[in-house]
Amino acid sequence: MSEATDSGADAEGTVGGANRETHTWQDSLLAVRNLDAGYGDLQILTDVDLDVRDGEYVTIVGPNGAGKSTVMKSVFGLTNRMAGTIEFNGEDITDTQPEEIIYEGLGYVPQNDNIFTTLSVQENLEMGAYILDEVPQDAIEDVYNRFPILRERQGQKAGTMSGGQRQMLAMGRALMLDPDLLLLDEPSAGLAPDLVDDMFDRIDGINDDGTAVLMVEQNAKEALGRCDRGYVLVDGKNRYEDTGDALLADDQVRQDFLGG
Ligand SMILES: Nc1ncnc2c1ncn2[C@@H]1O[C@H](COP(=O)(O)OP(=O)(O)O)[C@@H](O)[C@H]1O
Ligand SMILES: [Mg+2]
């Protein structure tokens, strides 16, 4: 177990007074280092470190308002990044705009408003490839093969579909450019309980096919049980990081963040 607290830990009321001990790798696909970020002048994240290696499946969990979505938005260039660096595929993307970041091989499915409700399913997928001169038909075919229900509904307005189908569409749209890393912000939110496992199975499938995944989830036990590594984020700071299994097995983590 690695507790990642900063030297002001006691003043912050965080666990113990341990020195910061986050792991970093030379070969990371995504490397977030000492990131401070927020909205306008409002700082939400402090000194956040995070790594995703090639093909890895990494989960961020933590209380509501901890800054999990802000981490995702920061990686995608949607926040005010005040300090620190973000490297992706060996390139510094700290100050890169979202329209350019998608060219680098990063796909992002936001927590909310992640589809165009007035467009059809097919049109939504085409929008996923809007940066290309021509819509890649093979990419649409791949998405339809992965999510057959989307093929059935291809002419239907996206806004008329169920929550699970919308979420599949949002993921399909983000897969249109065959990203190296897919950012998923609460993919199981709002799904009927019997659809949650199915959604996680589909994410496993995407990762098994070689796409690295960085996911934020409220459904923390399930997510940690499936991912390679996890981070617990609290109050905009790293609190714990370890393999998913080790976090699940840790009494303190269970008690404080996983409902016992
Ligand atoms: N666009 C925004 N402008 C100002 N503050 C925001 C904005 N989005 C989120 N916040 C604030 O940032 C903090 C972290 O939010 P968020 O990253 O959404 O947390 P989480 O995803 O962990 O629930 C919260 O206090 C939230 O109110
Ligand atoms: Mg969130």
Side-chain angles (χ1 to χ4, degrees):
M1 173 59 45
S2 130
E3 269 180 23
T5 58
D6 59 28
S7 47
D10 292 331
E12 307 288 338
T14 50
V15 182
N19 290 325
R20 183 186 192 88
E21 196 197 315
T22 44
H23 298 110
T24 56
W25 285 273
Q26 296 299 319
D27 58 344
S28 289
L29 176 65
L30 175 72
V32 176
R33 296 281 177 272
N34 307 111
L35 180 70
D36 292 355
Y39 305 96
D41 291 337
L42 178 66
Q43 185 177 343
I44 304 293
L45 304 180
T46 305
D47 213 13
V48 168
D49 281 336
L50 182 130
D51 286 81
V52 181
R53 283 168 289 176
D54 221 1
E56 206 179 19
Y57 182 177
V58 174
T59 297
I60 306 174
V61 301
N64 237 330
K68 305 180 298 296
S69 294
T70 303
V71 171
M72 303 292 246
K73 288 186 226 170
S74 297
V75 171
F76 206 66
L78 294 167
T79 62
N80 178 20
R81 287 144 294 174
M82 300 157 175
T85 57
I86 304 172
E87 274 189 25
F88 181 67
N89 260 335
E91 283 195 41
D92 188 333
I93 60 163
T94 314
D95 297 315
T96 307
Q97 297 302 308
E99 328 56 282
E100 291 163 49
I101 285 177
I102 46 177
Y103 283 97
E104 308 289 335
L106 199 61
Y108 172 48
V109 181
Q111 187 171 354
N112 302 305
D113 303 324
N114 54 21
I115 55 168
F116 298 97
T117 54
T118 60
L119 299 184
S120 72
V121 166
Q122 173 100 13
E123 287 164 343
N124 266 275
L125 294 180
E126 290 168 1
M127 288 298 284
Y130 78 95
I131 62 169
L132 304 180
D133 292 335
E134 218 170 304
V135 176
Q137 293 304 323
D138 54 335
I140 292 192
E141 197 57 28
D142 286 348
V143 171
Y144 284 155
N145 288 337
R146 188 178 290 287
F147 305 113
I149 188 74
L150 298 182
R151 189 197 303 279
E152 284 174 36
R153 302 285 164 94
Q154 60 183 279
Q156 191 172 325
K157 289 252 186 304
T160 65
M161 299 201 301
S162 72
Q165 292 163 1
R166 285 174 180 227
Q167 195 61 36
M168 286 184 221
L169 178 57
M171 285 203 258
R173 182 189 53 73
L175 288 171
M176 281 293 292
L177 297 175
D178 192 19
D180 298 324
L181 173 62
L182 187 60
L183 309 175
L184 298 174
D185 197 345
E186 307 233 9
S188 81
L191 296 190
D194 56 328
L195 292 180
V196 169
D197 273 345
D198 177 67
M199 181 59 63
F200 282 124
D201 286 346
R202 289 171 190 278
I203 295 165
D204 285 351
I206 292 167
N207 181 242
D208 288 345
D209 290 343
T211 307
V213 173
L214 177 61
M215 176 171 80
V216 167
E217 257 297 322
Q218 282 296 326
N219 216 324
K221 280 184 184 169
E222 173 103 36
L224 291 175
R226 288 177 181 254
C227 70
D228 298 315
R229 287 190 309 112
Y231 291 83
V232 181
L233 194 76
V234 182
D235 205 11
K237 303 185 185 87
N238 288 91
R239 176 70 67 91
Y240 294 102
E241 68 166 291
D242 214 320
T243 63
D245 290 339
L247 290 170
L248 276 176
D250 187 87
D251 285 341
Q252 200 69 46
V253 173
R254 288 186 75 87
Q255 189 182 314
D256 291 351
F257 304 106
L258 305 177

